[in-house]
Amino acid sequence: MPARLLDGSALSAALRRALAGDVEALSSTGRRPGLAVVLVGDDPASQVYVRNKVRACADAGIRSELRRLPDDVTEAGLLDVIERFNADDGIDGILVQMPLPPHLSPARVLETIGVDKDVDGFHLSSAGALLHGRIEDGIGFLPCTPYGVMRLLDSAAVPIAGRHAVVIGRSNTVGKPMALMLLARDATVTLCHSRTRDLPEIVRTGDIVVSAVGRAATVTADMIKPGAAVVDVGINRDAAGKLVGDVDATVREVAGWLSPVPGGVGPMTIAMLLENTVLAARRRQAHTTPTT
Ligand code: GUN
């Protein structure tokens, strides 16, 4: 039996419809959530991602403010834009689209975003809050892509506690936080990377496999335990220019669940960005509403 589909497009659409109601409720109290999006340069892929995020905000009733900066903007110039958004009461979340041109330090840029507006979840404090299980205490935000993967797994009731989860890729934005989120749900986690020996053997023991490598056909059918849940975070182009993930199409015949590319994790990342923005607005409202 072919794998059940982990349909991120459908789940994302449902979550965004539900969120639109929350946004209207917040807006009726005089606080429409607002997201600032900063795009440096004219990288074509980044332009598409940013356009999709701005459109998704509009569809959910979230106000967005897009600031385009030339690719020779100085670091001081970019940090100044971020500081202004930090101080802007109409802005609940700030997103600086990555990657940045090489003369700009992503670490300095991301750490300038106020942690209360860090809706991408890339700030050191958000990473620390995830590590220590403190996000639910109102500190920082979960990074959108791994958060979307967890929601996709939960939507299909994929068992996590006690299962072996294999994460391939150790980026700060996906692999490492993904491993921590699965660990927080009591999975036994193995984090694999480019120097891992015997990758196929390790992946074959995974009840859950998340691939975030960025290379087509990293995961093939012979590497998958029958019935495993396979989540494909990769976005690659094949020789014909077609969008493909990290996971080979043949995996569908072996896996129990599989997320497609496109239509799997990508739409979930956007839904989580919007949820984080509404969460940021709620937290700020709770801090500013008088109690008497
Ligand atoms: N570039 C690719 N994905 C992302 C993302 O989720 N957030 C930001 N800020 N930049 C990205």
Side-chain angles (χ1 to χ4, degrees), residues 44-162:
S46 290
Q47 299 212 42
V48 172
Y49 291 139
V50 161
R51 196 183 316 134
N52 289 342
K53 289 170 186 177
V54 166
R55 190 177 299 151
C57 280
D59 289 347
I62 294 172
R63 196 175 68 79
S64 68
E65 197 169 322
L66 172 60
R67 183 70 52 88
R68 292 172 177 277
L69 298 171
D71 64 5
D72 61 354
V73 66
T74 62
E75 192 163 285
L78 174 55
L79 298 189
D80 184 57
V81 167
I82 295 170
E83 292 289 13
R84 284 167 196 270
F85 282 132
N86 280 340
D88 184 339
D89 201 41
I91 293 296
D92 298 293
I94 304 170
L95 176 154
V96 179
Q97 186 65 26
M98 298 288 147
L100 293 170
H103 68 284
L104 300 171
S105 154
R108 270 197 296 275
V109 168
L110 294 174
E111 282 144 37
T112 300
I113 296 172
V115 65
D116 57 327
K117 299 192 179 187
D118 175 40
V119 290
D120 251 334
F122 290 170
H123 194 285
L124 273 183
S125 297
S126 290
L130 170 59
L131 186 69
H132 284 240
R134 299 292 306 280
I135 303 271
E136 277 158 27
D137 295 340
I139 305 167
F141 296 86
L142 292 172
C144 301
T145 296
Y147 187 18
V149 172
M150 296 305 292
R151 297 282 289 270
L152 205 47
L153 292 171
D154 282 340
S155 74
V158 173
I160 298 175

Side-chain angles (χ1 to χ4, degrees), residues 213-242:
V213 174
R215 185 163 36 85
T218 297
V219 177
T220 49
D222 59 303
M223 294 164 71
I224 294 299
K225 182 199 276 193
V230 180
V231 182
D232 191 348
V233 182
I235 302 178
N236 316 295
R237 297 265 170 200
D238 71 6
K242 189 172 145 243

